Amino acid sequence: MSDARSLTPQLPVLQLLIEGQWTDPVEGGTFPVTNPATGQRLCDAPSGTAADVDRAVKAARRAFESGPWSRMTGRERGRLVRKLADLLWERREEFALIESLNNGKTFRDAVRGDVAPGAGTLAYFADLAGGVLGEVLPVAGPFHTYCLKEPVGVVGAIVPWNYPTCLLCWKLGPALASGCTVVVKPSEYTPLTALKLGALALEAGFPPGVLNVVTGYGDPAGEALARHPDVDKISFTGSARTARRLMQASAGSNLKKLTLELGGKSPQVIFPDADFDRAVEACFWGIFGNKGETCNAGSRVLVHERAYDAFVPRLAERAKALRVGDPLDPSTEMGAQVSQRQLDIILGYIETGMKQGARVLAGGERDLEGEKSRGYFVKPTIFGDVKPEMRIAQEEIFGPVLSCLRFRDDAEALSIANGTPYGLAASLWTRDVARAHALARQVKSGVVWINCFNEFDDAAPFGGYKESGWGRDLSHHALEGYLQTKAVWTQLPSLP
Ligand code: NAD
């Protein structure tokens, strides 16, 4: 991996991408894009409104119904998606540099945790594109009856700021492989890599209108996409608050389908027989990786009362030694929070934790040392003596703040683990395999890791139970979300 400080940032074309053309927003507005490590403006991005969304949806509709895309086979589409994957992989450092400058994550995290996995996901779905299968149905009577799997149509992909490239690829891979066309609305905090990916799609040779990018604020740009009567599906990753608005928009327009990947309050449960060395590392990076701005961050560590006093101080010592600083410096382990707003939210939760009686074991404040005072840095924070009902144990903080709780037995561990509105991920640390598998069935979350954490593979589905969302990203389960099923009946002549 290169030293990011020796690379020159390549900003994208700062226009909207509609029907294969770069174009200014109808109303001509822009919004500022900031570097969270310095608080300085990086550039201004085009601020799309309902009129631009409408142009992009019409382009996507034309491409879906009558453009070359509509006549391509799955294998031909797969070849284009593969080309896009290869181009992204070749330019992973160029993309990661922009991601790091715009999001505040370390360059290393941007390459390994965001851009490279995004390219991998595109490649995975490229391979699935030619293999979408229907089935012949064993109906009663003289009929030949089969199921066709068809693309749902025009998809609005609304993505957040924490993994801007990777999460966009989680949507684009299955959408394009299944034959849908897409209008992308990236987060207003991190709009740059979506525009760069749009340019790669042109380079790869995608027909006009298949992939459109409209940057802009959630309201009006995202809202217009969600309310548009000719969008067939919204694939969304973001907050539960926005998800509720999307449901209302769907209900108030054409009942468009929704996939919702929302937040989490993932527990890591540590039993006394756990491998402590590995569990400490996993709990540590589970919350401080990507500066805690990860939907499945292990933001609660539940430790058995016999293990608590040996385990938690080790985490705290590790947190005090974490190197926070310039995201481009290869020695930095944790960068800046994405925005002033996110910084304020995190500091607010830290204050609430203290007021509600949790004990600060590490961090607990903004990091204002030296150059860091210009940006949005937080000291890695660990709270001990957290009670399940405290707000820092219930609500998603989306920052480098870990809550440590004690439990007495399996029943109490389960009750605390399941005792939030969320259900995205969980991990269980014990050498007792039978106990781990028994508990895995009782944990209410879309992913359970046993003696590991944060393992991802394109072949494994990811998504939530409860208020963590509906539908799945990744794997063939995600592809299903972009397909609909048609039953075709043919009357057969009676046999003599
Ligand atoms: P957000 O909901 O504010 O924004 C997400 C996207 O929705 C952005 O593109 C935003 O512009 C858009 N948006 C906002 N208001 C809208 C509206 N009224 N209509 C349509 N679109 C609108 O969330 P965020 O602050 O960007 O992201 C952080 C949240 O996302 C966290 O809660 C986190 O847990 C969650 N998240 C979940 C996953 C997952 O896979 N489950 C992954 C990443 C983030």
Side-chain angles (χ1 to χ4, degrees), residues 158-162 167 185-188 217-218 222-223 236-239 241-242 245-246 261-263 295 396 398 424 462:
I158 302 181
V159 284
W161 42 258
N162 57 342
L167 294 178
K185 211 301 281 171
S187 167
E188 53 272 42
Y217 289 107
E223 187 83 23
F236 173 73
T237 299
S239 63
R241 179 181 40 81
T242 303
R245 285 189 69 155
L246 297 177
E261 300 287 355
L262 313 177
C295 49
E396 184 176 54
F398 227 56
L424 191 54
F462 180 80

Side-chain angles (χ1 to χ4, degrees), residues 270-274 276 302-314 406-407:
I270 316 295
F271 292 93
D273 64 344
F276 275 21
L302 281 45
V303 192
H304 189 278
E305 59 186 4
R306 276 195 281 118
Y308 188 95
D309 291 337
F311 191 84
V312 172
R314 283 182 62 178
R406 284 173 213 262
F407 66 89

Side-chain angles (χ1 to χ4, degrees), residues 9 16 22 93 179 197 257 301 312 342 356 389-390 401 420:
L16 310 177
W22 296 105
E93 292 199 344
L197 204 65
K257 297 166 182 44
V301 168
V312 172
Q342 196 60 25
Q356 293 195 323
E389 63 281 5
M390 288 180 184
V401 181
T420 77

Side-chain angles (χ1 to χ4, degrees), residues 103-423:
N103 166 284
K105 65 176 73 187
T106 63
F107 179 68
R108 192 191 301 108
D109 275 351
V111 176
R112 294 196 188 150
D114 200 342
V115 181
T121 298
L122 291 177
Y124 174 84
F125 283 102
D127 287 346
L128 293 193
V132 175
L133 299 177
E135 60 199 315
V136 177
L137 304 170
V139 300
F143 300 102
H144 171 51
T145 306
Y146 59 91
C147 275
L148 278 179
K149 289 287 186 183
E150 298 184 328
V152 296
V154 173
V155 172
I158 302 181
V159 284
W161 42 258
N162 57 342
Y163 292 87
T165 306
C166 179
L167 294 178
L168 176 53
C169 292
W170 283 17
K171 317 279 182 218
L172 288 180
L176 297 173
S178 62
C180 296
T181 56
V182 186
V183 178
V184 176
K185 211 301 281 171
S187 167
E188 53 272 42
Y189 292 103
T190 53
L192 302 178
T193 42
L195 292 170
K196 285 175 78 70
L197 204 65
L200 287 196
L202 292 183
E203 194 176 327
F206 277 85
V210 172
L211 198 171
N212 308 275
V213 184
V214 178
T215 53
Y217 289 107
D219 192 1
E223 187 83 23
L225 199 52
R227 294 198 173 275
H228 201 290
D230 206 25
V231 170
D232 298 296
K233 170 179 171 123
I234 295 285
S235 181
F236 173 73
T237 299
S239 63
R241 179 181 40 81
T242 303
R244 289 189 162 84
R245 285 189 69 155
L246 297 177
M247 290 176 69
Q248 285 167 350
S250 168
S253 57
N254 59 340
L255 294 178
K256 55 180 65 68
K257 297 166 182 44
L258 297 173
T259 299
L260 306 173
E261 300 287 355
L262 313 177
K265 194 72 190 171
S266 303
Q268 298 224 49
V269 187
I270 316 295
F271 292 93
D273 64 344
D275 177 335
F276 275 21
D277 291 342
R278 295 190 48 218
V280 165
E281 277 307 290
C283 289
F284 183 76
W285 288 115
I287 185 65
F288 299 126
N290 208 55
K291 22 135 184 166
E293 293 171 350
T294 302
C295 49
N296 61 281
S299 51
R300 294 183 295 157
V301 168
L302 281 45
V303 192
H304 189 278
E305 59 186 4
R306 276 195 281 118
Y308 188 95
D309 291 337
F311 191 84
V312 172
R314 283 182 62 178
L315 270 177
E317 287 315 305
R318 189 85 174 73
K320 286 179 196 157
L322 185 76
R323 286 191 298 274
V324 181
D326 176 6
L328 302 187
D329 183 333
S331 67
T332 297
E333 294 176 304
M334 192 173 92
Q337 308 309 136
V338 74
S339 63
Q340 177 73 51
R341 173 175 162 256
Q342 196 60 25
L343 176 71
D344 293 342
I345 291 172
I346 296 165
L347 296 177
Y349 272 112
I350 291 176
E351 206 185 314
T352 305
M354 291 173 181
K355 276 196 191 137
Q356 293 195 323
R359 200 149 61 88
V360 176
L361 304 178
E365 58 188 352
R366 184 174 178 179
D367 191 337
L368 290 165
E369 187 198 9
E371 289 289 289
K372 285 183 270 188
S373 62
R374 298 193 300 152
Y376 316 133
F377 293 89
V378 176
K379 291 187 181 168
T381 297
I382 299 194
F383 277 109
D385 299 335
V386 177
K387 302 283 173 269
E389 63 281 5
M390 288 180 184
R391 283 185 62 199
I392 57 167
Q394 284 292 322
E395 298 175 22
E396 184 176 54
I397 300 174
F398 227 56
V401 181
L402 178 65
S403 296
C404 298
L405 299 91
R406 284 173 213 262
F407 66 89
R408 273 188 312 276
D409 52 26
D410 291 9
E412 192 180 26
L414 268 177
S415 140
I416 299 173
N418 288 335
T420 77
Y422 294 110

